[in-house]
Amino acid sequence: YGIFEATEVIVSAETNGRIIQFDVTEGTAIEKGTTIATVDTTMLHLQKTELYAGINSVKTRMSTIDSQNEILNQQIANLNININRISNMLKDDAATRKQYDDLTGQVAVLQKQIAANNSQKVSVGAELQVFASKMATLNEQLKRSHVKCPLTGTVLEKYAEAGEQTATGKPLAK
């Protein structure tokens, strides 16, 4: 005989969906942190796959920009060789000033193309940050799809079964 005090906690779902696993029964002792139910995560995994594809696409664009810059830098190096040749020929009056100006103009155009490519890299980098943020959100949603027991105790009542639809905040067990 005596007075027993107990802390009663209603464990609820944190996401919407179909309960795909809910194996606890009334009277079962459960440890803190134990997963007692799992809400369907299929759509979240599909969204995650889609994000990985988007990230790979953006990384490919970043690599393409780097490759373009390498080509442009090689063209600049080739033009600089020709500029030196024309510069030496100008000293001997074997070339015209126009030839020299044309080559230096081409170098300036290529340098501006590299600058434009680098500004694209900044934009592509921002896209990667957006994907990283979306991935973090999805990972949090996946984590919330696993209903965990907040404390060590005994299941007093069970309000749902596997296969049923649940909603955020809907009680699953006491």
Side-chain angles (χ1 to χ4, degrees):
Y1 298 99
I3 299 175
F4 294 97
E5 290 187 31
T7 303
E8 290 185 4
V9 175
I10 305 289
V11 180
S12 303
E14 291 188 70
T15 59
N16 299 329
R18 185 174 51 84
I19 302 170
I20 57 173
Q21 178 265 323
F22 194 25
D23 297 331
V24 298
T25 56
E26 293 178 3
T28 304
I30 297 180
E31 294 294 318
K32 178 180 180 177
T34 302
T35 300
I36 61 171
T38 304
V39 179
D40 189 11
T41 59
T42 304
M43 292 305 292
L44 297 175
H45 283 292
L46 291 173
Q47 289 174 1
K48 200 169 184 179
T49 302
E50 184 180 340
L51 282 179
Y52 280 127
I55 288 170
N56 288 336
S57 172
V58 170
K59 285 182 179 178
T60 300
R61 285 187 14 225
M62 185 76 82
S63 140
T64 300
I65 291 170
D66 289 337
S67 297
Q68 288 173 349
N69 280 347
E70 288 175 21
I71 291 168
L72 294 172
N73 282 322
Q74 184 61 52
Q75 288 176 342
I76 289 172
N78 293 345
L79 286 172
N80 283 331
I81 291 170
N82 286 333
I83 287 172
N84 286 335
R85 284 184 190 146
I86 295 294
S87 177
N88 290 333
M89 291 172 72
L90 268 175
K91 292 176 188 173
D92 297 330
D93 289 330
T96 64
R97 183 74 185 168
K98 181 184 181 330
Q99 289 173 314
Y100 180 82
D101 291 342
D102 287 346
L103 291 175
T104 56
Q106 288 175 17
V107 168
V109 167
L110 293 175
Q111 288 171 336
K112 288 180 181 177
Q113 285 179 339
I114 289 172
N117 283 350
N118 289 336
S119 69
Q120 283 181 355
K121 279 178 74 171
V122 171
S123 171
V124 170
E127 283 183 57
L128 278 175
Q129 290 176 341
V130 169
F131 279 118
S133 175
K134 287 181 179 181
M135 188 66 73
T137 301
L138 269 179
N139 286 334
E140 181 62 26
Q141 288 175 330
L142 281 166
K143 182 178 152 191
R144 291 178 181 210
S145 295
H146 300 280
V147 181
K148 298 196 180 287
C149 186
L151 48 85
T152 299
T154 303
V155 177
L156 300 176
E157 292 181 60
K158 189 173 171 182
Y159 302 121
E161 293 294 331
E164 290 183 17
Q165 217 39 41
T166 190
T168 303
K170 180 180 176 186
L172 298 179
K174 182 180 195 182

